[in-house]
Amino acid sequence: MNLIIKLLISTIVVFVLSYFLPGVHVTSLTGALMVAVVLGLLNTFLKPIFVLLTIPVTLFTLGFFLLVINAVIILICDYLIAEFSVDGFLSALFFSILLSIIQSVLNKIFIEEK
């Protein structure tokens, strides 16, 4: 049940952010759902590989390089989904930061801890 709630939260946040951020475009609610699913899969399978490969850079930048990894994940999602587009790296960076913050807050509110 928590997975479905997280997916719905991600979908709504992606859809709403596409209206407020100038460089991010989602054509439909179905596109936002696909973005939420693909981002979940990329964060589960691809992001740990990126983090592992960039440990020295991440340590040198005191963890700020993880923001770059998040933006790259967003750009990969842009490449994979036709209904989703990001204009550039900075748009992807701001989108990933806002998405993470808003998801964290909403997950804390709506997901019950066991």
Side-chain angles (χ1 to χ4, degrees), residues 25-39:
H25 312 285
V26 177
T27 58
S28 65
L29 197 56
T30 307
L33 177 63
M34 289 192 310
V35 169
V37 170
V38 170
L39 279 179

Side-chain angles (χ1 to χ4, degrees), residues 2 12 19 23 26 34 38 47 49 52-53 55 65-66 69 74 78 80 92 96-99 105 107 111:
N2 285 347
I12 292 167
Y19 279 103
V26 177
M34 289 192 310
V38 170
K47 186 176 177 179
I49 296 169
L52 186 65
L53 292 174
I55 285 175
F65 193 73
L66 292 174
I69 293 173
I74 297 293
D78 170 30
L80 294 174
S96 70
I97 291 170
L98 289 174
L99 182 67
V105 170
N107 284 338
I111 303 291

Side-chain angles (χ1 to χ4, degrees), residues 2-114:
N2 285 347
L3 180 64
I4 294 171
I5 295 171
K6 285 183 180 183
L7 187 62
L8 288 174
I9 288 171
S10 297
T11 302
I12 292 167
V13 172
V14 166
F15 193 69
V16 169
L17 282 178
S18 71
Y19 279 103
F20 292 108
L21 286 177
V24 179
H25 312 285
V26 177
T27 58
S28 65
L29 197 56
T30 307
L33 177 63
M34 289 192 310
V35 169
V37 170
V38 170
L39 279 179
L41 292 172
L42 289 173
N43 283 329
T44 301
F45 296 110
L46 193 60
K47 186 176 177 179
I49 296 169
F50 285 168
V51 170
L52 186 65
L53 292 174
T54 60
I55 285 175
V57 177
T58 303
L59 290 174
F60 183 71
T61 61
L62 303 175
F64 284 109
F65 193 73
L66 292 174
L67 296 173
V68 173
I69 293 173
N70 287 340
V72 169
I73 295 290
I74 297 293
L75 291 173
I76 292 171
C77 188
D78 170 30
Y79 178 76
L80 294 174
I81 299 176
E83 291 87 3
F84 177 64
S85 67
V86 180
D87 290 344
F89 180 78
L90 283 178
S91 295
L93 183 67
F94 290 130
F95 179 75
S96 70
I97 291 170
L98 289 174
L99 182 67
S100 297
I101 292 170
I102 295 170
Q103 277 180 331
S104 295
V105 170
L106 292 177
N107 284 338
K108 204 58 133 166
I109 293 170
F110 292 109
I111 303 291
E112 58 188 50
E113 303 268 335
K114 291 183 181 178

